[in-house]
């Protein structure tokens, strides 16, 4: 049974979540198969391969970010991720 949010990692209402040099492969969740985050997020030099969300965000689902929360994704690869609804790689919803 897939996780509800963030199949590999879920960042909930913290000040900041940083992911560096990580590999996310074949994770499943309803939203955010690899990462589900509801806070500021920085991802660098990471791989997202073959993750599958039944709803939104095959790679990353940013949930409902609050005002002033920033997101940065750099030097990362998204390949073969899927979502049943929106964002095979990344989806974001304004808070």
């Amino acid at each position: 049974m897939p996780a509800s949010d963030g199949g590999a990692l879920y960042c909930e209402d913290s000040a900041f979540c940083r992911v560096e040099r990580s590999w996310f492969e074949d994770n499943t969740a309803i939203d955010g198969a690899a990462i589900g985050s509801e806070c500021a997020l920085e991802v660098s030099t990471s791989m997202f391969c073959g993750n599958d969300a039944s709803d939104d965000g095959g790679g990353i689902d940013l949930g409902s970010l609050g005002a002033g929360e920033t997101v940065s994704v750099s030097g990362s690869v998204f390949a073969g991720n899927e979502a049943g609804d929106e964002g095979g790689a990344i989806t974001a919803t304004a808070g």
Side-chain angles (χ1 to χ4, degrees):
M1 180 174 176
S4 175
D5 296 308
L9 174 66
Y10 181 67
C11 304
E12 179 181 18
D13 298 328
S14 66
F16 186 73
C17 185
R18 176 179 289 143
V19 176
E20 299 177 286
R21 297 181 190 150
S22 298
W23 189 291
F24 299 91
E25 185 173 12
D26 295 333
N27 296 289
T28 61
I30 296 170
D31 293 312
I35 299 175
S37 182
E38 294 188 6
C39 63
L41 176 68
E42 179 182 301
V43 177
S44 63
T45 320
S46 296
M47 296 286 293
F48 296 81
C49 303
N51 299 291
D52 188 5
S54 58
D55 196 11
D56 298 327
I60 300 173
D61 178 28
L62 297 169
S64 297
L65 297 176
E69 292 182 309
T70 61
V71 175
S72 171
V73 178
S74 63
S76 297
V77 174
F78 293 82
N81 299 290
E82 296 184 11
D85 194 15
E86 297 177 343
I90 301 173
T91 190
T93 304

